[in-house]
Amino acid sequence: MSEWFGKEIFKLGFGLMRLPKNADGSIDVAQTSQMVDRFLAAGGTYFDTAYIYDYGKSEQATKLALVDRHPRDKFTLCTKLNAAVAANEAEAKQQFHTSLERTGAGYFDYYLLHSLQRNNIQKYDDFKIWDFVKDRRDEGLIKHWGFSFHADPEFLDELLTKHPDTEFVQLQINYADWENPGVQARACYEVARKHGKSIVVMEPVKGGTLAKPHPAVQEVLKAADPNASCASWAIRYAASMEGIMTVLSGMSDLAQMDDNLSYMKNFKPLNSAEQETIKKAQKALEKDKSIPCTACHYCTEGCPAQIPIPDIFAVKNDEVKSPSWDHGQGRYAIATQGKGKASACVECGQCEGACPQHLEIIKLLKDCAGME
């Protein structure tokens, strides 16, 4: 397929999930505004947020940093409806109107059913969200619609067969997960393209882990190009594929924005030699024994013990990469201060059902409890 919807879009998208924070934990709107300005000046247009990102604060920051400061026809905005967190149909549908109010955008250029999986699809069906979104499109409040996806390729094939009018899909694609059996990025990509669907890429840097990957991977990448950032390899890898509308990067500061724009402003797909470098990096990744958590925090929503799961996993991963004298106990204490410890897990399974990476969180927390 040589043509696809959204082919003309700037190949770097601004993901608004991991925005810079102030010391008090609030979003740094001033720095976010600078990042927005640099992104637009470089030719970027695609901004991505969601109803649940940072408990709604992402959409609010989007209004302050983007919508209130730039003409509406100079950018496109995507947000998402997450029926899984709604108690009933009315509550689920209200998310759309709340997002419109929070962002002040007037309409959404792109709108997604959020994080579809086998364990939450029933709510989207029972609450009639598919028809609801298409009705909003017919009213002109949505220009294009689709869904983001975190499940197996067979289920993706089933959904696209059942909903052939889906305009695009958002998939997790990166070189670490290309053949990862828990994500199956390659197979999902191939299913989407088989159905002729355009793709927005999420997690190209896998929650930042491919920006600073295992030392063995860094060695491979730096040997090939000492001046290129590790993140650049990951983002260009995803952007080089056919059918990609844009690649979302959840940039958290101006330095990350500047780095991404340095190679995406005049994007060039990976050449054959660079593709071979990626294959070597994938091989080197076999040495990485860290927990493949992307710190999306979906697992913490509704945790009865209020365990900061991604923060605990981050401490564990740091300990794996660089063991400390106290075996991580100091950093663990800071990460869990005022919150639930790993040993407080009641094994309800809520976190595992929400995890886009399909991690065995209960088992992993038991291992992390050794740092207490």
Side-chain angles (χ1 to χ4, degrees), residues 132-330:
F132 173 77
V133 168
K134 286 184 277 189
D135 287 345
R136 302 293 80 73
R137 177 200 58 191
D138 294 344
E139 293 175 354
L141 296 176
I142 294 171
K143 289 190 175 182
H144 305 285
W145 73 280
F147 60 82
S148 63
F149 185 80
H150 285 290
D152 56 276
E154 292 78 16
F155 187 45
L156 179 58
D157 189 50
E158 178 183 326
L159 287 177
L160 291 176
T161 299
K162 186 177 181 180
H163 302 282
D165 51 346
T166 301
E167 294 183 79
F168 69 108
V169 294
Q170 186 164 303
L171 300 176
Q172 178 170 321
I173 296 176
N174 57 67
Y175 68 79
D177 290 324
W178 193 239
E179 299 293 352
N180 178 354
V183 178
Q184 300 189 69
R186 176 187 58 77
C188 287
Y189 167 81
E190 291 174 352
V191 167
R193 295 304 296 138
K194 181 188 74 172
H195 284 268
K197 304 304 177 186
S198 301
I199 298 166
V200 170
V201 174
M202 58 181 161
E203 301 292 358
V205 194
K206 200 171 174 64
T209 58
L210 297 183
K212 190 177 180 181
H214 188 278
V217 178
Q218 293 188 46
E219 184 177 342
V220 169
L221 300 180
K222 290 302 179 182
D225 187 346
N227 298 316
S229 67
C230 292
S232 71
W233 286 95
I235 292 175
R236 288 180 61 221
Y237 170 80
S240 295
M241 298 178 189
E242 182 208 40
I244 302 301
M245 291 169 57
T246 195
V247 177
L248 299 175
S249 179
M251 296 168 275
S252 300
D253 56 43
L254 282 164
Q256 292 177 10
M257 175 64 75
D258 290 341
D259 177 60
N260 285 353
L261 291 175
S262 70
Y263 52 84
M264 292 302 289
K265 183 176 181 179
N266 298 301
F267 168 68
K268 294 181 180 179
L270 295 179
N271 58 36
S272 57
E274 290 171 324
Q275 291 284 5
E276 287 301 314
T277 295
I278 290 292
K279 290 180 181 179
K280 293 178 182 178
Q282 290 171 320
K283 182 67 176 176
L285 271 172
E286 295 176 2
K287 299 179 181 180
D288 189 354
K289 306 303 179 184
S290 59
I291 301 170
C293 172
T294 63
C296 68
H297 286 271
Y298 293 176
C299 58
T300 58
E301 182 74 25
C303 173
Q306 297 184 311
I307 302 172
I309 299 168
D311 301 323
I312 290 174
F313 287 172
V315 173
K316 183 66 173 179
N317 285 341
D318 286 343
E319 192 63 23
V320 169
K321 293 178 181 178
S322 181
S324 57
W325 67 272
D326 65 350
H327 308 291
Q329 291 179 350

Side-chain angles (χ1 to χ4, degrees), residues 6-50:
K7 190 173 184 178
E8 74 289 349
I9 297 173
F10 191 76
K11 281 294 175 287
L12 178 67
F14 191 170
L16 303 167
M17 183 181 183
R18 300 180 175 92
L19 294 174
K21 296 292 183 72
N22 295 308
D24 63 359
S26 63
I27 292 175
D28 184 343
V29 175
Q31 185 173 182
T32 300
S33 297
Q34 289 181 281
M35 294 167 69
V36 164
D37 294 349
R38 294 188 192 183
F39 183 70
L40 289 170
T45 58
Y46 196 106
F47 293 82
D48 173 272
T49 183

